Amino acid sequence: VDITAVLGYQGGEQAGTGMVLTSSGIVVTNNHVIDGATSISATIAGTSHSYKAKILGADPTMDVALIQLEGASGLPTVTLADSSSAAVGESVVAIGNALDLPGPPTVTQGAITALGRTVTAGDPTAGTSERLSGLIQIDAPLQPGNSGGPLLDAKGQVIGMNTAAAADTSGYAPNVGFSIPSNNVDSIVNQIEQGRGSSSVQIGNQGTARG
């Protein structure tokens, strides 16, 4: 789904992508996509069907959030595959709402270039940053709006959630992107669905900050 978050502290909007996990509209995305939002809407990619959404929980330290599309039913879903078999050199495809452009999702191709990477991801709009670890590094181009979208392996299985891209001081983004392994995403999703809060996992909308 294409996600649009209205940001209360800025009065602007932020676009991203989400993956539908259940036919009733439970969607996983990046925390930074919905962080600070006063309202969230999600549109089924390639259609005009839009839903309001509420936050079920988030782990800001891992940049994972779970939202519920209100009144949704019968939605097509993705399945998070086992990311432990991901290997350097493996072909991948990144899908998402790049640049928040109308029409079908964008698709970029590349390969896994490194595993277990640690990066500091910044949000220029909010002026914040966070340190993320255990990431899959890819050379498939990622753009703003791709965050929260699926990273697929050669079998078409979801092995990661796209979350960040490298950029130099000119703002040019070379082909260096980063995805959260699907096993890490799945673990946090299960914890939120079970209502098990912790020092990092917050249940419900608690005004999480992009840290």
Side-chain angles (χ1 to χ4, degrees):
V1 294
D2 298 338
I3 296 174
T4 300
V6 177
L7 306 177
Y9 60 86
Q10 294 169 318
E13 292 185 349
Q14 182 160 270
T17 307
M19 293 182 282
V20 181
L21 300 179
T22 69
S23 60
S24 60
I26 292 180
V27 172
V28 66
T29 186
N30 283 134
N31 180 64
H32 76 259
V33 170
I34 53 86
D35 178 36
T38 55
S39 67
I40 304 168
S41 62
T43 303
I44 304 301
T47 77
S48 59
H49 200 149
S50 183
Y51 299 88
K52 291 182 178 180
K54 64 179 180 179
I55 299 173
L56 298 179
D59 184 341
T61 66
M62 292 294 292
D63 202 12
V64 175
L66 202 62
I67 63 176
Q68 170 71 60
L69 309 188
E70 298 179 351
S73 64
L75 300 183
T77 63
V78 302
T79 299
L80 300 179
D82 182 3
S83 57
S84 65
S85 61
V88 173
E90 181 178 358
S91 297
V92 291
V93 172
I95 301 176
N97 180 26
L99 302 177
D100 195 25
L101 297 174
T106 57
V107 178
T108 56
Q109 298 178 324
I112 296 174
T113 54
L115 297 169
R117 293 300 304 271
T118 297
V119 302
T120 298
D123 185 340
T125 303
T128 58
S129 63
E130 63 190 350
R131 191 169 177 81
L132 303 173
S133 59
L135 303 181
I136 299 171
Q137 181 176 318
I138 61 175
D139 62 9
L142 299 179
Q143 296 285 347
N146 273 126
S147 293
L151 181 72
L152 309 178
D153 64 12
K155 299 178 181 178
Q157 299 177 318
V158 180
I159 60 167
M161 181 167 68
N162 301 318
T163 190
D168 60 22
T169 54
S170 70
Y172 171 77
N175 294 349
V176 180
F178 301 94
S179 298
I180 303 170
S182 55
N183 287 1
N184 296 7
V185 174
D186 192 44
S187 176
I188 297 167
V189 166
N190 289 336
Q191 188 171 342
I192 294 172
E193 288 183 325
Q194 294 168 15
R196 295 187 292 111
S198 67
S199 59
S200 60
V201 173
Q202 302 165 347
I203 306 301
N205 185 3
Q206 300 184 22
T208 57
R210 175 108 158 106

